[in-house]
Amino acid sequence: MKLAVVGGGSTYTPELIDGFARLRDTLPVSELVLIDPAAERLELIGALARRIFARQDHPGLITTTSDLDAGVAGADAVLLQLRIGGQAARLQDETWPLECGCVGQETTGAGGLAKALRTVPVVLDIAERVRRASPDAWIIDFTNPVGIVTRALLRAGHKAVGLCNVAIGFQRKFAALLDVAPAEVHLDHVGLNHLTWELGVRVGGPGGRDVLPELLAGHGDAVAADLRLPRAVLDRLGVVPSYYLRYFYAHDAVVRELGEKPSRAAEVAAMERELLALYADPALDEKPALLAKRGGAFYSEAAVDLAAALLAGGGPAVQVVNTYNRGTLPFLPDDAVIEVQARVDGSGAAPLAVAALDPLFAGLVSHVSAYEDLALDAALRGGRERVFKALLAHPLVGQFDLAEGLTDRLLAHNKEHLAWA
């Protein structure tokens, strides 16, 4: 089995390599190609990847290349983990929205739109080249904003599934709190990428007993602390929101907080410099502990599980993914992309049925899904007016003057990445 990772020079990659090495019985990778235009950084990551495989006696071949077409040729699956513009663009996404009193964040609000505009055209070009070189290959997208990028891929007819680590992170956290094996915990996970709620926590699989009330009663303080939300919010909602919901439920407080401390982009950039120095040590043959602070925890396990279900022929699996709605949430179009538990096998991902969503949550899902549709249109066709309308539609913006000011700033900061700007 051949896998290719586009963006293989990312500091995330050793996390992925570690998962491939540890879980080789689940996903028997014979060849892994890391693809990245940053040749020096790619060789550094590639060398560490080979040492990780060697330490764990993995027989697979790891190669590196900056030639996308050659790298994806013959691949069974291609994983996308891109950041167009790098940490410098992320720093901008987190900074200029604050000038208008709006959240500066790389996957939601105005910053998230900027990232989508930069990313979608590049991902679609990559996907077309994958289709020419390996027409049967699956594309697994971990590139943010995952919901919008996956919608672009699916609408263009690609064999694609979107993946996020929020659900598996909650699963592992709840399993530890409940003192059960992670495989025993099934989440009633519903919403859009980075806009989800855990409506139930079931022990024993999809039909298991819902222990969410007990979890909140016994461990609500710990869960709330992780989410950086008041415990009372969880108690009143009766569910566990994604930590991205803090940008909606505590918007003004977050804006004040972001204006008083260094940006996450600055923190990550410093961390990446330290990680790359560690990776350069020829004695290092495992992922360093610092990588856990970089983000993307459990990404490798989620990626292995998804690729195995799509490719390894071991029968269907149930996993939280991003895929077409297909009537799952009846208030959304069938071609909206949602993030829910799905049955995954060689034919793709089919969402499992979910209970009717409370209007408190359904209203926000509808609102953000409509924004995502406008955002994708702006990413595909360009134009200042389309950018303005997408911003006006976003619930974190929603005011004419704000949308005007944010549009001007978005275009000014992203001209080098937007051919039409």
Side-chain angles (χ1 to χ4, degrees):
M1 181 185 300
K2 177 180 177 179
L3 300 187
V5 180
V6 180
S10 168
T11 53
Y12 274 132
T13 300
E15 165 72 26
L16 193 60
I17 299 300
D18 177 74
F20 289 153
R22 287 186 294 102
L23 303 172
R24 57 184 174 272
D25 291 340
T26 302
L27 186 68
V29 178
S30 57
E31 182 180 359
L32 179 63
V33 184
L34 305 181
I35 305 167
D36 204 291
E40 183 176 348
R41 181 163 163 159
L42 179 62
E43 286 308 312
L44 189 71
I45 302 294
L48 173 58
R50 295 184 192 100
R51 294 195 299 270
I52 292 173
F53 264 31
R55 176 190 175 96
Q56 301 196 37
D57 296 321
H58 193 296
L61 172 68
I62 296 178
T63 60
T64 61
T65 182
S66 59
D67 185 334
L68 175 71
D69 300 297
V72 301
D76 297 289
V78 178
L79 283 71
L80 305 182
Q81 50 176 34
L82 314 176
R83 184 181 296 281
I84 306 304
Q87 293 298 331
R90 177 179 182 170
L91 178 61
Q92 293 181 356
D93 294 343
E94 294 178 351
T95 303
W96 53 262
L98 296 175
E99 298 171 4
C100 296
C102 294
V103 161
Q105 211 278 332
E106 65 159 344
T107 64
T108 192
L113 176 60
K115 186 172 176 63
L117 296 178
R118 295 192 303 268
T119 303
V120 165
V122 175
V123 165
L124 289 179
D125 176 67
I126 291 170
E128 285 298 331
R129 293 162 72 177
V130 170
R131 180 151 52 190
R132 290 196 297 269
S134 301
D136 294 326
W138 280 100
I139 295 176
I140 297 174
D141 179 64
F142 194 65
T143 297
N144 281 318
V146 168
I148 296 172
V149 172
T150 302
R151 188 184 292 209
L153 287 165
L154 291 173
R155 285 191 180 180
H158 297 290
K159 294 175 60 177
V161 182
L163 183 63
C164 180
N165 70 322
V166 167
I168 193 171
F170 273 135
Q171 182 203 42
R172 299 304 173 87
K173 173 69 175 180
F174 297 161
L177 291 173
L178 297 167
D179 195 25
V180 299
E184 289 295 301
V185 176
H186 175 91
L187 304 177
D188 293 343
H189 180 100
V190 181
L192 310 175
N193 179 241
H194 290 186
L195 194 87
T196 51
W197 297 264
E198 310 308 328
L199 305 184
V201 178
R202 302 184 182 278
V203 174
R209 184 171 66 91
D210 182 12
V211 299
L212 178 57
E214 300 165 31
L215 180 72
L216 290 177
H219 304 283
D221 288 342
V223 175
D226 278 352
L227 300 176
R228 302 181 66 196
L229 286 170
R231 164 73 183 269
V233 173
L234 274 63
D235 291 337
R236 295 177 72 177
L237 294 178
V239 304
V240 177
S242 160
Y243 42 85
Y244 288 94
L245 265 298
R246 185 169 183 258
Y247 298 116
F248 296 82
Y249 292 161
H251 176 274
D252 292 353
V254 171
V255 169
R256 289 193 297 271
E257 173 189 299
L258 292 175
E260 296 170 354
K261 68 174 188 176
S263 70
R264 174 63 177 164
E267 294 175 358
V268 169
M271 197 178 304
E272 286 200 332
R273 289 191 291 272
E274 188 174 350
L275 283 169
L276 290 171
L278 292 172
Y279 296 168
D281 180 358
L284 183 68
D285 58 4
E286 59 184 344
K287 64 176 183 179
L290 178 63
L291 186 55
K293 298 180 181 180
R294 171 65 181 83
F298 308 116
Y299 163 40
S300 62
E301 285 89 341
V304 166
D305 288 345
L306 179 54
L310 293 169
L311 301 172
V318 173
Q319 185 172 359
V320 172
V321 298
N322 285 258
T323 191
Y324 270 151
N325 178 43
R326 298 190 186 96
T328 308
L329 299 179
F331 54 86
L332 293 183
D334 284 350
D335 66 350
V337 165
I338 61 174
E339 185 172 291
V340 293
Q341 296 279 6
R343 181 184 184 275
V344 183
D345 59 20
S347 63
L352 301 182
V354 302
L357 200 56
D358 188 299
L360 179 62
F361 313 127
L364 188 53
V365 168
S366 295
H367 198 161
V368 175
S369 182
Y371 149 77
E372 289 187 346
D373 200 40
L374 292 167
L376 179 55
D377 186 47
L380 294 174
R381 297 200 289 162
R384 186 187 189 281
E385 192 65 12
R386 293 187 181 94
V387 173
F388 167 78
K389 288 179 178 178
L391 286 168
L392 187 62
H394 200 294
L396 295 182
V397 181
Q399 298 180 58
F400 180 88
D401 290 344
L402 284 179
E404 285 282 18
L406 289 166
T407 299
D408 290 339
R409 287 167 173 80
L410 186 155
L411 296 179
H413 285 283
N414 287 276
K415 284 187 179 296
E416 65 179 295
H417 300 292
L418 306 177
W420 51 267

